[in-house]
Each structure stands twice: as structure tokens, then as C-alpha cells.
Amino acid sequence: NASALALADAGVPTRDLVVACTAGTLGRKVALDLNREEEMAGGAQLTLAMLAGARKVTLLEVESKVPDGMFSPLYEMALAGCDVLAQEMRACLLEHATQSFSLRMSL
């Protein structure tokens, strides 16, 4: 996510903004962006990366066996996380570009 923001901020042309998010299980519950302690608990984890504008999945990685009936909730949670993250990244880029433009105009 930081790399995608850095490329966009530097003006490097890309096809789309890439966002990534991880979801995992804590018992029978699904959680987003697990911390180290939660990861070490041994639940299933899913990493998803997608092109934000096109909403095309570019990476789907599952690091452990996913219990029956848990893949879809994990996938949906990671997808929703990517959507929220993409909105925030776009907002940050727009704010930064606006500030940079304002500074240039004031010179």
C-alpha cells in the first residue's frame, strides 16, 4: 500500500491503484488486519490485493487451511477492507495533490 502511494505521489503512471488487505480467523470470527499475537494463534489467514478502480483481484494468498464455511467470509472481509483502504488512499493522494498545487500557486 505504501509503495502504491509512493508511485502515485511521484507521478509514476500505473494502470490502477493497487491495494492489499489481510483477513484472518479468531476462533470462528473473522477479523481484518490481525496483529502479531493474533496471527500466532494459528487461525486461517487470507491476503488479498486488488486493482482499486477495476476491482480486479491481483493476488489471493491463503497461508493455512481454512475451516469449512470460512473462506467466503474471509474473502468478503478482505475485499471490504481493500475497498475502504482504496477510498482512504485516494483521499490522501487528492489532499496531498491539492496542497502541493496550492503551494505552487502561492509562489
Side-chain angles (χ1 to χ4, degrees), residues 10 24 30 41 46-47 51-52 58 61 75 85-86 99-101 104 107:
V30 177
L46 179 141
T47 301
L51 298 174
T58 58
E61 180 179 72
Y75 180 81
L85 195 55
Q99 289 175 352
S100 295
F101 183 73
R104 287 186 189 134
L107 296 177

Side-chain angles (χ1 to χ4, degrees), residues 68-104:
D68 288 340
M70 293 301 291
F71 179 80
S72 185
L74 278 172
Y75 180 81
E76 294 300 323
M77 176 70 80
L79 199 60
C82 282
D83 286 337
V84 170
L85 195 55
Q87 290 174 344
E88 291 298 320
M89 289 169 70
R90 283 189 197 106
C92 286
L93 286 169
L94 186 59
E95 180 181 337
H96 181 70
T98 303
Q99 289 175 352
S100 295
F101 183 73
S102 294
L103 285 174
R104 287 186 189 134

Side-chain angles (χ1 to χ4, degrees), residues 43 59 69 105:
L59 171 78
M105 293 303 289

Side-chain angles (χ1 to χ4, degrees), residues 29-64:
K29 293 185 179 186
V30 177
L32 196 61
D33 192 27
L34 302 180
N35 64 31
R36 181 172 170 78
E37 184 179 321
E38 293 166 337
E39 287 177 355
M40 300 309 281
Q45 291 183 43
L46 179 141
T47 301
L48 185 137
M50 67 182 234
L51 298 174
R55 295 200 80 233
K56 289 186 179 181
V57 174
T58 58
L59 171 78
L60 180 61
E61 180 179 72
V62 180
E63 296 185 16
S64 56

